[in-house]
Structures are given as structure tokens and as C-alpha cells.
Amino acid sequence: MIEGEFAVPSLGALADEVRAVLAGRHDPGVVVFERLLNAVVSHSFRDREALTAALGAVPHAFKVKPHAQVRCLAVIVGEAVGPVRAEESWERSGAGWLELCQHVALGYIAGARSGEVAARLRAGDHVPFLLSVPSGPTGAVEPYELVERLAEYERLGIRPGPADLGQALLRCGGPMDPEVVRAAEKLESAEGIRLAAWLRQGGLPHPAWQREREAGEAERPSKRRGARIGRRILVGHEAIEGRGAFPRQFWSLFRVFEPLISCPHWSLPDHRDAHTVATLPWHPEIAAARLLTGVASAADQDGSGSPAFLEALASTDGPAGPAVHLAVAYGLASVPEPDREAAVRALVVLASRGRLDGELLGRELTALVELGTLRVPLLTESLRAAVAVPVPEGAAAVWAVLATALPGLLARTRPQLHGALLAVAADSARLSGARGELPEVTALAQRPGSSQLLKQSRRLRDALAGA
């Protein structure tokens, strides 16, 4: 039923993997975490006593706080090998839940699923596998696989967990094969009827977006968390219909997202990772928009980085719109070097998969430099690294961005800052075979003098002329 990299390992292999993950403090990655989570559930269904014998001696307590997914796996293992408390109902696992923060909506969804899994294991209510196990590393679930899984639940007479089913539906999107829809329509359970309707509508709708700048005149960054300094561009979205069919913990996702509302949670790096993107792999815009303030803090307030988050956004199959491009823009000029390196990889991945909007990214870079949010030397360093990537998409991506960004930067900021950036532009234009003319560059190249700025503007002019 579940094959490939997410296939259930043997008990011995499972014990070894769980022991290795729980012994570390670092993120195990989407594939490893999802495989182990499902494997514990599957082996508990097959033979709980054997699972307890295999995992009972694996320590799942920590002296030092580990990554969130490591802690989650430890809880799941503890419930799987602990005594069954059949008097408890797993259906009340989300009772009393209260929304506290709109930024971590996807974290609420992940928490609801893991809480439900833990509660079912604790209550001795076994399922053969999780419906929400991904089909690939982005977190996406193939529609035909979800139909097959739900058909097996029907055959066994097992009721799906609302959070597990909800997560599976959110991971299922993209173009729908009519044959898969017809197969779903043959399912008889209430959940099967719901899946067929979900596939017919193409999954979760994409909300309308709005771009917003922090209010007020741009000021130097404040060390005070949450301070509004008028230097960031953020993205919000309208409400999404259909929340009533999902558990309450999912409802934050469906609400209007207002990016300028502050809270103490936006800077928590635990949510800015690949697991967050994998919660909603067909909608990277939602993940990027909700966590954009934290991503921006690495550029204008020396905040904690989000390298795995940036790469995961670029690797999904969902549309890359204003929020994803802004996340890459902030990443290209982030203070932490791992963020800049990840943003360069994200830029190249977007370009190689035909998802890069060079004009959009160029406009956002220009606006953020004008506001003083991004540091030109760091941005230049990142774009130079992208040009040096040994694939054609690197230079082409940089030129696509700078062709839009340079005119605005030269016209509205101090040109003296941009000699090195013009050198990168000249290299990217030459390597990508770009042709044409940028009037601002031509005017600069015609000035007398031998400064670095003028030399590089002439190099770029000549490259674009094919000289």
C-alpha cells in the first residue's frame, strides 16, 4: 500500500532508525520523520507486543531540548510502547483547543495530526497506516494513492482520524486525473464521498493575495521583537471556504491572514522548516506568507535563519507567487550565510522548474533595497554565487532578475553602490546570451571616467549588444 522511500521498515530496522533519530537533536527531515511516524503506527497495528519489545528499550527522554520533530517522534514512541488505556477516547484529542497565533496555522495542523496519532495509540485504537503519509519528499500525496488507502480502510471497517484525513486532503492537489476521480466516486463511506468531492474541486482553493508594506517611514531596525519599522513588504490572503469539514485546529488556515498583526510567535524558527511546507505542499504561498516576517528578520534584524524552509518552498509543485518570491528576496540578503546559500539554491530550482518570475523578484528586490531592508553587498554576493552555479539556469535566473531590478536601482538609489552588482549583471548577461538594451545602463556607460561603476556598466552594455 505504501512503497518506496516511505515503505514500512522491518522492526529491527525501525528500532535502529528510531534510536538514531532520538539520540540526536537535529531535524530528521521530512522523509525520515514521516516514514518513522507511519512505521510505528503500522507495526502497532500488526503486533503491538512485538513493537513494544523492539522499541521499549529505546530511550525517549531528553536532557537537551531537541528539534520539534524529534520530540514528536519520542511522544509517539512512548504512547506506542506504553500501556493501553482503552477507557480514553482518541476522538477527544483536540477538545479544548484554542487558537493563539495566526502565523503558525500549519503548525496547528501538524500538531493536531500527531496528537490524534498519539491518542489512538494510547487508546489501543489501531490503524494499518496513516492516510497522510506523503508520496514524495515535498509532502504531496498522490490522489490515486489516497483513494487506494481509503478503500483499504473501508475494507477493514476502520474509521479514519479526522486530523489524519484532513492532513491527507491538504496534501492532495494539483491536476486531477478523471480516472482517479471516478475511482474515488466508487467509495461508499462518508470519508470516501468527501474525498471524491475534494478531488472534483481540485483540492484546497487558492486564496486571493494582497501585498502590504509595514506602515510608517522606514527606520533603522529595532532590537525589540515585533517592532514595526516600515521596512518590510509582507503578503496577506483572503479567507478560504470549506473549514467546517475539518477539525477546529485546522480553522486558522482558512481565516483571513492579516500580515501586519504582530504576535510573539512569528520569530520561532521551529516552524520555518521543510515540515511546515510539507503540511501544505500545493500551497507554498500560504506557508511563505504566514512566516514571512520571521524570514525577513534574518535580513534586517539579524534574526535566526530558515534555510530548509527556503529550499522547501522552491521544491514544491504549487504556484510560486508574491510570498515565495519575497521569501527568496529576503534570503538572498540574509545575514546568516546558510540562508543566503539556501536562497541561491531556491532561486536556481525555481528557474530550472519554470516557476521563477524574474520580473516579480526584481521589483521586490528593488523595493526592499530602496527601503534599506536589504544590504546590497550581501545581495550581490548571493547573485554572484548563483551565476557561478554550473547549470545554465543560474546565469539566466540572475539576468531575469537584474534586467528588472537594475533600472530601478540605478535611478532611485546611489549608483556608486552598484559597481559590483553591475559586474554580476554583465557576467549573467554574457553567460545567458541576453540581448537588448537598458537605457539606464547605456546612459551610465557613456559618462567619462574609469571608475568600477563605469567600467562594469560598459561591460554590461557590450554584453547586451553581443560585442
Side-chain angles (χ1 to χ4, degrees), residues 205-431:
H206 291 273
W209 301 98
Q210 63 267 357
R211 176 181 178 275
E212 300 183 32
R213 184 173 79 81
E214 290 177 333
E217 293 297 321
E219 302 173 6
R220 293 184 63 81
S222 167
K223 295 291 185 182
R224 182 164 52 86
R225 178 181 290 178
R228 289 305 178 202
I229 51 181
R231 291 160 56 100
R232 293 177 183 154
I233 299 170
L234 304 173
V235 176
H237 68 73
E238 299 299 328
I240 306 172
E241 294 185 1
R243 73 177 190 181
F246 289 85
R248 288 186 63 86
Q249 297 99 313
F250 287 54
W251 286 10
S252 294
L253 167 66
F254 293 83
R255 299 188 194 282
V256 173
F257 175 59
E258 302 172 88
L260 300 182
I261 293 179
S262 183
C263 78
H265 301 91
W266 58 257
S267 62
L268 293 178
D270 263 6
H271 294 287
R272 299 198 304 275
D273 58 21
H275 300 275
T276 300
V277 180
T279 302
L280 201 60
W282 289 99
H283 294 71
E285 278 292 292
I286 292 178
R290 300 268 174 161
L291 298 172
L292 200 53
T293 307
V295 175
S297 72
D300 71 353
Q301 285 185 294
D302 299 349
S304 58
S306 319
F309 182 67
L310 294 172
E311 289 192 73
L313 290 174
S315 299
T316 64
D317 293 313
V324 169
H325 283 77
L326 274 167
V328 174
Y330 287 119
L332 288 171
S334 287
V335 174
E337 186 175 357
D339 267 43
R340 296 200 302 277
E341 293 173 346
V344 168
R345 291 191 291 271
L347 175 67
V348 174
V349 168
L350 286 173
S352 66
R353 302 181 66 193
R355 298 171 65 228
L356 175 68
D357 186 334
E359 291 186 11
L360 173 59
L361 183 53
R363 289 195 303 270
E364 298 298 11
L365 287 173
T366 302
L368 291 170
V369 169
E370 281 189 79
L371 290 171
T373 308
L374 302 187
R375 307 174 196 187
V376 174
L378 293 179
L379 173 60
T380 302
E381 179 184 320
S382 294
L383 294 178
R384 183 183 295 114
V387 171
V389 172
V391 294
E393 291 84 4
V398 172
W399 176 247
V401 171
L402 289 180
T404 296
L406 276 176
L409 291 175
L410 293 173
R412 300 195 292 275
T413 62
R414 291 166 52 203
Q416 291 76 10
L417 293 173
H418 305 312
L421 191 60
L422 281 167
V424 173
D427 290 340
S428 66
R430 177 179 58 82
L431 291 171

Side-chain angles (χ1 to χ4, degrees), residues 29 63 65 114 118 167 180 220 229 254 278 281 299 355 368 393 435 438:
K63 294 181 179 178
K65 184 178 179 181
S114 59
Q167 172 64 101
V180 177
R220 293 184 63 81
I229 51 181
F254 293 83
R355 298 171 65 228
L368 291 170
E393 291 84 4
R435 295 292 183 267
L438 295 181

Side-chain angles (χ1 to χ4, degrees), residues 21-356:
V21 170
L22 297 189
R25 295 175 53 194
H26 305 294
D27 181 3
V30 171
V31 172
V32 172
F33 173 74
E34 294 285 349
R35 180 176 65 244
L36 295 183
L37 186 67
N38 180 64
V40 171
V41 169
S42 295
H43 278 294
S44 179
F45 176 81
R46 298 172 186 176
D47 190 340
R48 182 162 180 145
E49 289 186 4
L51 178 68
T52 301
L55 297 185
V58 176
H60 44 271
F62 306 98
K63 294 181 179 178
V64 180
K65 184 178 179 181
H67 188 274
Q69 265 59 44
V70 178
R71 298 198 304 273
C72 177
L73 183 61
V75 171
I76 298 299
V77 169
E79 299 294 359
V81 303
V84 172
R85 285 165 274 183
E87 70 279 2
E88 294 189 11
S89 172
W90 62 268
E91 294 170 298
R92 291 186 54 80
S93 58
W97 178 82
L98 177 66
E99 177 184 347
L100 296 176
C101 172
Q102 60 174 347
H103 296 93
V104 293
L106 301 187
Y108 292 147
I109 293 170
R113 182 184 64 147
S114 59
E116 180 180 273
V117 169
R120 291 192 88 153
L121 289 169
R122 186 166 58 246
D125 193 324
H126 304 300
V127 296
F129 47 78
L130 296 177
L131 295 172
S132 56
V133 180
S135 303
T138 66
V141 174
E142 291 293 340
Y144 72 88
E145 291 188 19
L146 184 51
V147 172
E148 289 181 345
R149 293 172 192 176
L150 205 48
E152 180 66 7
Y153 267 53
E154 286 190 8
R155 188 186 71 80
L156 294 171
I158 293 175
R159 183 183 171 198
D164 182 34
L165 175 61
Q167 172 64 101
L169 292 175
L170 293 179
R171 284 178 163 171
C172 191
M176 296 299 175
D177 184 343
E179 289 294 328
V180 177
V181 176
R182 283 192 284 272
E185 290 172 340
K186 295 178 182 178
L187 297 172
E188 298 177 353
S189 64
E191 292 82 7
I193 294 171
R194 182 180 171 195
L195 172 59
W198 183 261
L199 297 181
R200 281 195 297 270
Q201 76 174 28
L204 185 74
H206 291 273
W209 301 98
Q210 63 267 357
R211 176 181 178 275
E212 300 183 32
R213 184 173 79 81
E214 290 177 333
E217 293 297 321
E219 302 173 6
R220 293 184 63 81
S222 167
K223 295 291 185 182
R224 182 164 52 86
R225 178 181 290 178
R228 289 305 178 202
I229 51 181
R231 291 160 56 100
R232 293 177 183 154
I233 299 170
L234 304 173
V235 176
H237 68 73
E238 299 299 328
I240 306 172
E241 294 185 1
R243 73 177 190 181
F246 289 85
R248 288 186 63 86
Q249 297 99 313
F250 287 54
W251 286 10
S252 294
L253 167 66
F254 293 83
R255 299 188 194 282
V256 173
F257 175 59
E258 302 172 88
L260 300 182
I261 293 179
S262 183
C263 78
H265 301 91
W266 58 257
S267 62
L268 293 178
D270 263 6
H271 294 287
R272 299 198 304 275
D273 58 21
H275 300 275
T276 300
V277 180
T279 302
L280 201 60
W282 289 99
H283 294 71
E285 278 292 292
I286 292 178
R290 300 268 174 161
L291 298 172
L292 200 53
T293 307
V295 175
S297 72
D300 71 353
Q301 285 185 294
D302 299 349
S304 58
S306 319
F309 182 67
L310 294 172
E311 289 192 73
L313 290 174
S315 299
T316 64
D317 293 313
V324 169
H325 283 77
L326 274 167
V328 174
Y330 287 119
L332 288 171
S334 287
V335 174
E337 186 175 357
D339 267 43
R340 296 200 302 277
E341 293 173 346
V344 168
R345 291 191 291 271
L347 175 67
V348 174
V349 168
L350 286 173
S352 66
R353 302 181 66 193
R355 298 171 65 228
L356 175 68

Side-chain angles (χ1 to χ4, degrees), residues 395-396 399-400 403 425-439 442 459-467:
W399 176 247
D427 290 340
S428 66
R430 177 179 58 82
L431 291 171
S432 63
R435 295 292 183 267
E437 182 186 14
L438 295 181
T442 301
R459 278 190 66 224
L460 176 55
R461 175 200 61 189
D462 294 345
L464 292 175

